[in-house]
Amino acid sequence: MPKDVPTGVSNDVPKDSTDDAARDPFDFPRRWEADVVLSDGGTVHLRPITPADAEELREFHGRLSERTRYFRYFGPYPRIPRRDLERFSTVDHHDRVALIALLGDDIVAVGRFDRLHHGDSAEVAFVVQDGHQGRGLGSILLEHLAAAAREVGLTRFEAEVLAENGQMVRVFRDAGYQVSRAFEEGVLHLEFAIDPTDESVAVARAREQAAEARSVHNLLHPRSVAVIGASTDPTKIGHAVLKNLLEADFNGPVYPVNAEHRAVRGVRAYPTVLDIPDDVDLAVVAVPAASVDEVMDGCLAKGVKALVVVSSGYGETGPDGLSAERRLAAEARAHGMRVVGPNALGVLNLDPKVRLNASLAPQLPSRGRAGFFCQSGALGTAILANAAGWGLGLSTFVSAGNRADVSGNDLLQYWETDPATDVVLLYLESFGNPRKFARLARRLGRTKPIVAVKSGRHAVVPGLAATDAKVDEASVQALFEQAGVIRVDSLAQLFDTALLLAHQPLPAGKRVAVVGNSTAIGLLAADTLLAQDLDLAGDPVDVGAQATPEEFAKAVKEALDRPDTDALVVVFVPPIAVPGAAYARALKEAAPSTKPIVSTFLAVEGIPDELKMPGKGSIPSYASPERAVLALARTVRYARWRAAPQGTFVRPEGIDTERARSIVDSPASEVRLDDHKAVALLECYGIDVVPFRIASSEEEAVEVADELGYPVAMKATSERLRHRTDLVGVRLDIAQRESVRAAYHDLAALSGKPGVYVQRMAPKGVSCVLGLQDDPSFGTLVWFGLSGLVSDLLGDRAYRAVPLTDTDAAELVAAPKAAPLLTGYRGDEPADLKALQELVLRLAALAEDLPEVRSLKLEPVLASAAGAFVSSARIVIGPPPSLHDAGPRRLR
């Protein structure tokens, strides 16, 4: 008999309480459906198989070569008998799972597993159509099958592969799992645990980066471009796009698509994209939204690789437009295409080998080393004009509009390995997948600086109110700081910072020298330096208004040569008698250095011709010394982050994930855990709450105190009073029975009902508060602060997004302004910071494992030399949010 998936397993389906008859084969878990990017940058749609796929499965089998069928089934197996076809296409999504990869309506790959002997192991196998082998489909199917298998309680996969099937053996070998192998009669038997390992996650992330970068490369390096909706009317956007492509001298054929004219701007036009005789890599769609569906059909049939949709009338118009936008992206992805837009300004690649201006922007900057991503089309036009005026060169530019598909995250993946880009610039109105953004930015920022403007700091853009723009400001700031992103408040600040990063080296420290010919302006620079927590490397040097260019250059060189100088600020007011250009040339000749220089030649912005140098080394000039210093200060902070230890993602020992999941299992709505369950959940993560009990009478309170041991603390059961010593809701250091009785009487009266908390006294320490906060866009944040009205009033809390490294945990504990109270302020005994950091990491692990935990608060946490002691916990659970960055690779 030909092999299905399980080698040596009969064709009879194992039956148990979750057999096929008990499940609807059409009702598959929707979370197992995904769009995925392949290694060549194309896309396919992945979903569980259904009985309705039987005929397409038969056709897929017929398209396989004899060699592929032999490798898969260990025999010729020229056709699938009906009995097998029904079995292959009818699964229970529990013991038997099959996923298909679809390109359009065609199945191009199938992967499946069958549970073995009702246990926790399953046999896995997959087959890929010959023309799609080598695109990474096997590894993607393995990732998604393993994730599905873990959900249904499986822990191991087994597979049998013909020894000569080297390609399939490599899929298993290179996946990052610990694979055991046995060889018998030409067949390799492979077994491995499917829990993610550090290596398997690293392998998946590396493949994700390569695939998504390749898909953006395809977009920015097309060999041919079609303009669908190319118009002879100069007022139409289709005319503008074609004009810009031609005037940029795109290095490839450009095909206007216009059903009414034989030529547009002197270039032969075609009625539809299907009439174009050659392949089309990129199509720019400039037709009304109502006509885009018809255009899409032609692009799908033509095999276009990428679309730039400049047409408006989608998500920005309301729910109906948003539905059309989602359909557009889903159809494109299912047919192997990536989409920029809709409502996009377009894309640029200023590489002289490409010369692509597939946008509505008439004015282009020069070629440079900065990549720019922008959501707003109107701002994108202004950005390009300003970049040209300031002398900031760009490598590539993408204005993604509504971001139905291609997002800033895709560009981060591309720029990470793009040799033409050294600096990344972002203008963001909202986040698509902020947790993925944080992961990618943290990695990219170690080699290339990222400068970002995030709008909506103090208000929500009305058009974005229904999307993901409502992000807590503290969350955004925490995300950027943790990922090393240089956040600025305006486009002007973005250009200020970008000019410095694009042309000057990073500073080794924060010691800054000041040289100029004006005492007043030099003092302005020095004051700003000190206000930005930078250090002055000596007193500001004033060469005097009468200094010659040579004397000026000598002072600059001496300042740069000093060992205590990490950077230099040059402030200069051109004298009337000598042109400023002479001093600029003198500065340029004295400047070559490994130390960054910023300058203020009053009334000169950008990079004047006299300060330009080939390659890196041009000296930016700012209209005021304050702006020059602020740009330098941002660069110093970034350099400090980049040089700091990255830290490692630490998972503390002694975690019982299985028990924890049983406690929070599938909540239908948000609900607060009772004290018993909250303590039990924390115990699963090695977090102990100081022992306590609730006593419902005076005598019971005395019994509990005797049992716990004196001294004890007693607290009102009222949530409002429970942590408030100032409201007399807490009594501490109770050491006698009579005092217990008196405290019970007072606290019960205060709460207005019987019952009080009786708790063993923890060692005295600094009272802290630690928690988890579920952000609708960012996922879970860990936050930390010191307890008290002043800290609450001032919002003195620090935030970090999960996952956390050990360095993140240390920084979180040290970040609040009141944190010096933990380190022995005014001679007090320092708290055990390691214990606090361990508590933070355990809480972060809980947040990673249990998205059902929507909020958690530990208060107070008493930090002392003896450790960190949790006195109370409040935990709310609910349905987990859909936005995450875990699991197998997918476009989100």
Side-chain angles (χ1 to χ4, degrees):
M1 178 189 298
K3 281 177 59 63
D4 178 21
V5 179
T7 305
V9 177
S10 73
N11 206 32
D12 296 326
V13 181
K15 298 291 180 182
D16 59 13
S17 60
T18 58
D19 62 15
D20 289 355
R23 293 176 178 269
D24 182 352
F26 287 92
D27 186 22
F28 59 79
R30 296 292 168 182
R31 62 187 175 279
W32 293 355
E33 194 167 10
D35 296 315
V36 295
V37 185
L38 306 182
S39 60
D40 60 1
T43 59
V44 295
H45 184 68
L46 215 65
R47 67 164 171 80
I49 202 167
T50 70
D53 298 312
E55 190 55 40
E56 180 49 46
L57 184 64
R58 185 197 299 277
E59 294 179 9
F60 163 74
H61 181 82
R63 293 193 293 270
L64 300 179
S65 68
E66 291 183 8
R67 178 180 175 82
T68 296
R69 286 198 293 264
Y70 172 73
F71 278 158
R72 172 62 184 84
Y73 300 103
F74 292 20
Y77 204 47
R79 63 182 183 83
I80 304 179
R82 175 155 296 279
R83 182 184 179 203
D84 288 352
L85 187 64
E86 291 177 358
R87 180 168 184 266
F88 292 170
S89 57
T90 305
V91 296
D92 63 6
H93 311 301
H94 187 271
D95 291 337
R96 301 180 61 246
V97 170
L99 302 179
I100 55 175
L102 292 160
L103 185 58
D105 297 325
D106 296 333
I107 297 175
V108 295
V110 180
R112 56 194 307 124
F113 68 75
D114 284 53
R115 190 185 296 263
L116 296 172
H117 313 301
H118 309 285
D120 61 357
S121 184
E123 192 156 11
V124 64
F126 32 85
V127 60
V128 179
Q129 187 175 319
D130 295 70
H132 296 277
Q133 292 174 10
R135 303 183 70 199
L137 274 163
S139 62
I140 285 174
L141 283 169
L142 180 58
E143 282 181 42
H144 284 259
L145 287 168
R150 290 193 294 271
E151 280 194 35
V152 298
L154 293 169
T155 63
R156 296 184 65 79
F157 271 168
E158 301 180 20
E160 291 201 348
V161 183
L162 288 173
E164 59 194 287
N165 190 356
Q167 190 170 4
M168 192 61 64
V169 172
R170 281 193 299 274
V171 169
F172 291 108
R173 185 191 66 198
D174 297 342
Y177 298 108
Q178 295 296 318
V179 181
S180 64
R181 300 161 47 144
F183 182 75
E184 183 178 354
E185 296 183 354
V187 176
L188 278 173
H189 181 79
L190 310 175
E191 290 189 30
F192 52 95
I194 58 175
D195 277 342
T197 65
D198 289 345
E199 185 179 356
S200 70
V201 171
V203 166
R205 294 278 165 83
R207 288 171 172 167
E208 173 196 63
Q209 190 277 326
E212 293 181 4
R214 182 66 195 182
S215 72
V216 176
H217 181 276
N218 294 343
L219 168 72
L220 294 173
H221 295 78
R223 292 166 300 180
S224 58
V225 180
V227 180
I228 303 174
S231 175
T232 58
D233 183 347
T235 65
K236 298 292 181 65
I237 59 174
H239 181 93
V241 172
L242 180 63
K243 174 177 178 288
N244 292 341
L245 269 167
L246 296 175
E247 290 185 352
D249 192 23
F250 170 63
N251 188 26
V254 176
Y255 302 108
V257 175
N258 184 311
E260 298 176 357
H261 296 86
R262 295 186 58 188
V264 181
R265 288 188 62 87
V267 181
R268 181 184 174 184
Y270 297 87
T272 72
V273 70
L274 290 172
D275 295 309
I276 297 172
D278 301 314
D279 292 338
V280 174
D281 287 344
L282 174 66
V284 183
V285 179
V287 299
S291 304
V292 170
D293 284 348
E294 181 182 351
V295 166
M296 276 283 294
D297 291 340
C299 290
L300 301 177
K302 184 65 177 176
V304 174
K305 291 181 179 179
L307 297 178
V308 173
V309 182
V310 298
S311 310
S312 58
Y314 286 89
E316 76 279 5
T317 65
D320 290 343
L322 184 60
S323 296
E325 180 176 304
R326 288 171 175 164
R327 285 197 309 272
L328 168 69
E331 279 293 304
R333 289 173 171 181
H335 287 78
M337 295 190 297
R338 300 301 308 269
V339 178
V340 172
N343 196 27
L345 179 69
V347 302
L348 307 176
N349 185 347
L350 297 169
D351 185 334
K353 296 179 181 178
V354 181
R355 302 189 300 274
L356 175 69
N357 181 10
S359 80
L360 299 172
Q363 187 174 358
L364 300 184
S366 61
R367 188 190 182 204
R369 308 290 300 175
F372 210 133
F373 174 83
C374 174
Q375 288 178 228
S376 166
L379 272 173
T381 303
I383 286 167
L384 293 173
N386 284 338
W390 276 61
L392 176 65
L394 299 183
S395 59
T396 44
F397 174 89
V398 174
S399 173
N402 294 4
R403 248 180 355 155
D405 178 24
V406 172
S407 70
N409 287 345
D410 293 293
L411 271 297
L412 293 183
Q413 298 277 43
Y414 171 73
W415 283 322
E416 180 176 354
T417 52
D418 177 30
T421 301
D422 294 333
V423 181
V424 169
L425 309 177
L426 306 173
Y427 179 86
L428 303 172
E429 294 173 354
S430 60
F431 290 94
N433 188 335
R435 290 196 62 185
K436 184 173 181 179
F437 171 84
R439 169 168 63 87
L440 301 183
R442 188 198 297 246
R443 187 178 69 204
L444 174 59
R446 291 292 170 183
T447 56
K448 299 179 182 182
I450 303 169
V451 188
V453 179
K454 169 66 175 69
S455 65
R457 180 179 288 234
H458 302 296
V460 175
V461 179
L464 297 173
T467 66
D468 52 6
K470 296 181 181 179
V471 181
D472 180 75
E473 174 56 30
S475 305
V476 176
Q477 193 61 34
L479 179 73
F480 282 175
E481 288 178 0
Q482 190 175 353
V485 175
I486 304 169
R487 186 180 189 184
V488 295
D489 295 326
S490 66
L491 287 175
Q493 291 179 6
L494 182 139
F495 282 113
D496 284 353
T497 310
L499 279 171
L500 177 55
L501 290 167
H503 295 288
Q504 290 289 308
L506 292 178
K510 63 175 188 174
R511 301 167 302 179
V512 183
V514 178
V515 174
N517 69 342
S518 165
T519 300
I521 297 180
L523 288 175
L524 274 177
D527 286 344
T528 309
L529 283 167
L530 296 173
Q532 290 296 314
D533 194 31
L534 301 179
D535 297 333
L536 273 172
D539 294 331
V541 175
D542 181 5
V543 297
Q546 304 303 317
T548 65
E550 292 74 23
E551 291 170 330
F552 177 61
K554 182 174 180 292
V556 167
K557 191 172 188 317
E558 288 176 351
L560 287 171
D561 288 344
R562 289 174 51 174
D564 63 343
T565 297
D566 297 315
L568 175 65
V569 176
V570 176
V571 291
F572 186 80
V573 179
I576 296 175
V578 183
Y583 292 87
R585 286 192 293 269
L587 171 61
K588 177 179 176 180
E589 291 170 4
S593 169
T594 58
K595 301 173 182 179
I597 303 172
V598 292
S599 69
T600 295
F601 278 73
L602 287 188
V604 177
E605 291 196 46
I607 299 180
D609 290 340
E610 294 83 5
L611 293 179
K612 286 181 180 176
M613 294 188 185
K616 209 169 176 91
S618 297
I619 302 172
S621 176
Y622 301 88
S624 70
E626 294 93 337
R627 280 175 53 184
V629 171
L630 286 172
L632 180 61
R634 296 184 197 105
T635 304
V636 168
R637 287 192 288 271
Y638 165 71
R640 186 187 306 142
W641 173 88
R642 181 159 151 175
Q646 296 187 38
T648 55
F649 291 102
V650 178
R651 186 169 177 84
E653 297 180 353
I655 292 176
D656 188 346
T657 310
E658 186 174 350
R659 181 180 171 221
R661 285 182 176 144
S662 69
I663 294 172
V664 301
D665 185 39
S666 303
S669 59
E670 289 199 3
V671 59
R672 178 177 171 178
L673 293 182
D674 60 36
D675 290 327
H676 174 73
K677 286 186 176 180
V679 169
L681 181 61
L682 292 173
E683 283 178 350
C684 295
Y685 284 84
I687 301 172
D688 296 325
V689 178
V690 177
F692 71 91
R693 280 174 51 192
I694 298 178
S696 56
S697 68
E698 289 183 19
E699 290 307 314
E700 187 179 358
V702 171
E703 291 174 6
V704 172
D706 289 343
E707 179 184 329
L708 294 176
Y710 293 96
V712 296
M714 296 179 67
K715 306 174 185 179
T717 54
S718 165
E719 187 66 31
R720 185 177 70 90
L721 302 171
R722 186 174 172 186
H723 307 297
R724 298 288 298 274
T725 55
D726 58 315
L727 296 180
V728 205
V730 178
R731 307 294 171 83
L732 304 175
D733 287 313
I734 300 174
Q736 298 176 348
R737 287 185 162 200
E738 288 308 313
S739 299
V740 171
R741 290 189 175 94
Y744 179 90
H745 179 271
D746 292 345
L747 291 171
L750 194 64
S751 297
K753 58 182 178 180
V756 300
Y757 284 90
V758 183
Q759 187 168 36
R760 181 187 299 162
M761 278 293 297
K764 287 183 172 57
V766 180
S767 182
C768 305
V769 58
L770 181 64
L772 301 177
Q773 171 181 317
D774 179 49
D775 186 283
S777 290
F778 287 83
T780 306
L781 299 172
V782 184
W783 58 269
F784 174 77
L786 273 66
S787 300
L789 290 176
V790 174
S791 292
D792 289 345
L793 182 64
L794 298 178
D796 188 19
R797 290 180 178 176
Y799 298 81
R800 291 294 183 273
V802 294
L804 266 63
T805 66
D806 52 359
T807 301
D808 292 329
E811 290 176 349
L812 179 67
V813 170
K817 293 181 177 66
L821 293 174
L822 298 168
T823 57
Y825 186 71
R826 290 188 175 179
D828 290 342
E829 189 175 22
D832 184 350
L833 296 182
K834 291 292 184 185
L836 270 177
Q837 294 162 20
E838 174 77 7
L839 185 56
V840 168
L841 290 172
R842 290 186 178 276
L843 209 56
L846 184 153
E848 278 287 277
D849 294 345
L850 306 174
E852 295 87 353
V853 175
R854 309 308 298 271
S855 69
L856 184 153
K857 188 176 185 181
L858 305 181
E859 184 185 26
V861 177
L862 295 172
S864 67
F869 299 88
V870 179
S871 298
S872 177
R874 184 183 190 277
I875 302 176
V876 175
I877 64 171
S882 59
L883 189 63
H884 57 87
D885 185 37
R889 287 174 281 162
R890 65 175 64 213
L891 282 168
R892 297 180 174 90

